PDB file of all heavy atoms in Angstrom:
ATOM      1  N   MET A 125      26.927 221.516   2.667  1.00  0.00           N
ATOM      2  CA  MET A 125      27.618 221.200   1.567  1.00  0.00           C
ATOM      3  C   MET A 125      26.931 221.687   0.329  1.00  0.00           C
ATOM      4  O   MET A 125      27.669 222.004  -0.727  1.00  0.00           O
ATOM      5  CB  MET A 125      27.993 219.779   1.418  1.00  0.00           C
ATOM      6  CG  MET A 125      28.972 219.213   2.486  1.00  0.00           C
ATOM      7  SD  MET A 125      30.560 219.821   2.228  1.00  0.00           S
ATOM      8  CE  MET A 125      31.210 219.106   0.988  1.00  0.00           C
ATOM      9  N   ARG A 126      25.598 222.005   0.374  1.00  0.00           N
ATOM     10  CA  ARG A 126      24.932 222.458  -0.826  1.00  0.00           C
ATOM     11  C   ARG A 126      25.191 224.012  -1.121  1.00  0.00           C
ATOM     12  O   ARG A 126      24.983 224.365  -2.216  1.00  0.00           O
ATOM     13  CB  ARG A 126      23.465 222.143  -0.658  1.00  0.00           C
ATOM     14  CG  ARG A 126      22.978 220.669  -0.806  1.00  0.00           C
ATOM     15  CD  ARG A 126      21.500 220.623  -0.889  1.00  0.00           C
ATOM     16  NE  ARG A 126      21.012 219.308  -0.838  1.00  0.00           N
ATOM     17  CZ  ARG A 126      20.523 218.727   0.376  1.00  0.00           C
ATOM     18  NH1 ARG A 126      20.337 219.376   1.305  1.00  0.00           N
ATOM     19  NH2 ARG A 126      20.122 217.447   0.314  1.00  0.00           N
ATOM     20  N   ASP A 127      25.621 224.605  -0.044  1.00  0.00           N
ATOM     21  CA  ASP A 127      25.877 226.054  -0.227  1.00  0.00           C
ATOM     22  C   ASP A 127      27.312 226.184  -0.862  1.00  0.00           C
ATOM     23  O   ASP A 127      28.373 225.967  -0.348  1.00  0.00           O
ATOM     24  CB  ASP A 127      25.998 226.735   1.236  1.00  0.00           C
ATOM     25  CG  ASP A 127      25.982 228.133   1.186  1.00  0.00           C
ATOM     26  OD1 ASP A 127      26.131 228.805   0.063  1.00  0.00           O
ATOM     27  OD2 ASP A 127      25.808 228.794   2.165  1.00  0.00           O
ATOM     28  N   LYS A 128      27.187 226.682  -2.150  1.00  0.00           N
ATOM     29  CA  LYS A 128      28.359 226.969  -2.980  1.00  0.00           C
ATOM     30  C   LYS A 128      29.162 228.021  -2.376  1.00  0.00           C
ATOM     31  O   LYS A 128      30.377 227.982  -2.517  1.00  0.00           O
ATOM     32  CB  LYS A 128      27.909 227.399  -4.370  1.00  0.00           C
ATOM     33  CG  LYS A 128      27.153 226.321  -5.117  1.00  0.00           C
ATOM     34  CD  LYS A 128      26.893 226.639  -6.556  1.00  0.00           C
ATOM     35  CE  LYS A 128      26.094 225.593  -7.292  1.00  0.00           C
ATOM     36  NZ  LYS A 128      25.750 226.031  -8.551  1.00  0.00           N
ATOM     37  N   LYS A 129      28.638 229.051  -1.773  1.00  0.00           N
ATOM     38  CA  LYS A 129      29.521 230.044  -1.111  1.00  0.00           C
ATOM     39  C   LYS A 129      30.189 229.552   0.131  1.00  0.00           C
ATOM     40  O   LYS A 129      31.383 229.958   0.308  1.00  0.00           O
ATOM     41  CB  LYS A 129      28.588 231.211  -0.572  1.00  0.00           C
ATOM     42  CG  LYS A 129      27.864 232.025  -1.657  1.00  0.00           C
ATOM     43  CD  LYS A 129      26.988 233.159  -1.169  1.00  0.00           C
ATOM     44  CE  LYS A 129      25.877 232.711  -0.333  1.00  0.00           C
ATOM     45  NZ  LYS A 129      24.887 233.722   0.066  1.00  0.00           N
ATOM     46  N   LEU A 130      29.619 228.603   0.721  1.00  0.00           N
ATOM     47  CA  LEU A 130      30.252 227.873   1.894  1.00  0.00           C
ATOM     48  C   LEU A 130      31.550 227.127   1.338  1.00  0.00           C
ATOM     49  O   LEU A 130      32.635 227.308   1.902  1.00  0.00           O
ATOM     50  CB  LEU A 130      29.390 226.999   2.564  1.00  0.00           C
ATOM     51  CG  LEU A 130      29.930 226.096   3.666  1.00  0.00           C
ATOM     52  CD1 LEU A 130      30.625 226.749   4.747  1.00  0.00           C
ATOM     53  CD2 LEU A 130      28.822 225.176   4.193  1.00  0.00           C
ATOM     54  N   ILE A 131      31.340 226.327   0.264  1.00  0.00           N
ATOM     55  CA  ILE A 131      32.362 225.546  -0.098  1.00  0.00           C
ATOM     56  C   ILE A 131      33.475 226.444  -0.779  1.00  0.00           C
ATOM     57  O   ILE A 131      34.685 226.160  -0.527  1.00  0.00           O
ATOM     58  CB  ILE A 131      31.906 224.718  -1.376  1.00  0.00           C
ATOM     59  CG1 ILE A 131      30.679 223.692  -0.930  1.00  0.00           C
ATOM     60  CG2 ILE A 131      33.128 223.928  -2.123  1.00  0.00           C
ATOM     61  CD1 ILE A 131      31.156 222.802   0.235  1.00  0.00           C
ATOM     62  N   PHE A 132      33.169 227.651  -1.375  1.00  0.00           N
ATOM     63  CA  PHE A 132      34.187 228.445  -1.725  1.00  0.00           C
ATOM     64  C   PHE A 132      34.879 229.042  -0.603  1.00  0.00           C
ATOM     65  O   PHE A 132      36.234 229.096  -0.607  1.00  0.00           O
ATOM     66  CB  PHE A 132      33.446 229.753  -2.547  1.00  0.00           C
ATOM     67  CG  PHE A 132      34.425 230.613  -2.955  1.00  0.00           C
ATOM     68  CD1 PHE A 132      35.154 230.620  -4.089  1.00  0.00           C
ATOM     69  CD2 PHE A 132      34.699 231.901  -2.355  1.00  0.00           C
ATOM     70  CE1 PHE A 132      36.187 231.440  -4.568  1.00  0.00           C
ATOM     71  CE2 PHE A 132      35.560 232.847  -2.630  1.00  0.00           C
ATOM     72  CZ  PHE A 132      36.261 232.566  -3.876  1.00  0.00           C
ATOM     73  N   GLY A 133      34.262 229.407   0.453  1.00  0.00           N
ATOM     74  CA  GLY A 133      34.969 229.977   1.665  1.00  0.00           C
ATOM     75  C   GLY A 133      35.861 228.840   2.404  1.00  0.00           C
ATOM     76  O   GLY A 133      36.917 229.259   2.803  1.00  0.00           O
ATOM     77  N   LEU A 134      35.405 227.754   2.442  1.00  0.00           N
ATOM     78  CA  LEU A 134      36.058 226.716   3.246  1.00  0.00           C
ATOM     79  C   LEU A 134      37.231 226.046   2.570  1.00  0.00           C
ATOM     80  O   LEU A 134      38.104 225.651   3.127  1.00  0.00           O
ATOM     81  CB  LEU A 134      35.055 225.673   3.655  1.00  0.00           C
ATOM     82  CG  LEU A 134      34.113 226.081   4.789  1.00  0.00           C
ATOM     83  CD1 LEU A 134      33.267 224.882   5.292  1.00  0.00           C
ATOM     84  CD2 LEU A 134      34.827 226.745   6.089  1.00  0.00           C
ATOM     85  N   ILE A 135      37.012 225.891   1.147  1.00  0.00           N
ATOM     86  CA  ILE A 135      37.937 225.076   0.405  1.00  0.00           C
ATOM     87  C   ILE A 135      38.699 225.902  -0.709  1.00  0.00           C
ATOM     88  O   ILE A 135      39.923 225.835  -0.630  1.00  0.00           O
ATOM     89  CB  ILE A 135      37.167 223.847  -0.232  1.00  0.00           C
ATOM     90  CG1 ILE A 135      36.616 223.006   0.918  1.00  0.00           C
ATOM     91  CG2 ILE A 135      38.138 223.057  -1.110  1.00  0.00           C
ATOM     92  CD1 ILE A 135      35.734 221.881   0.349  1.00  0.00           C
ATOM     93  N   ILE A 136      37.928 226.575  -1.542  1.00  0.00           N
ATOM     94  CA  ILE A 136      38.534 227.289  -2.593  1.00  0.00           C
ATOM     95  C   ILE A 136      39.592 228.286  -2.050  1.00  0.00           C
ATOM     96  O   ILE A 136      40.629 228.370  -2.479  1.00  0.00           O
ATOM     97  CB  ILE A 136      37.489 227.879  -3.562  1.00  0.00           C
ATOM     98  CG1 ILE A 136      36.537 226.901  -4.034  1.00  0.00           C
ATOM     99  CG2 ILE A 136      38.099 228.680  -4.651  1.00  0.00           C
ATOM    100  CD1 ILE A 136      37.164 225.797  -4.735  1.00  0.00           C
ATOM    101  N   VAL A 137      39.046 229.174  -1.161  1.00  0.00           N
ATOM    102  CA  VAL A 137      39.868 230.275  -0.610  1.00  0.00           C
ATOM    103  C   VAL A 137      41.182 229.839   0.010  1.00  0.00           C
ATOM    104  O   VAL A 137      42.237 230.069  -0.440  1.00  0.00           O
ATOM    105  CB  VAL A 137      39.120 231.147   0.293  1.00  0.00           C
ATOM    106  CG1 VAL A 137      40.076 232.027   1.110  1.00  0.00           C
ATOM    107  CG2 VAL A 137      38.047 231.836  -0.384  1.00  0.00           C
TER     108      VAL A 137
END
Side-chain angles (χ1 to χ4, degrees):
M125 292 295 288
R126 290 193 189 102
D127 190 346
K128 294 181 180 179
K129 293 183 291 184
L130 168 62
I131 299 301
F132 178 81
L134 289 184
I135 300 176
I136 303 301
V137 170

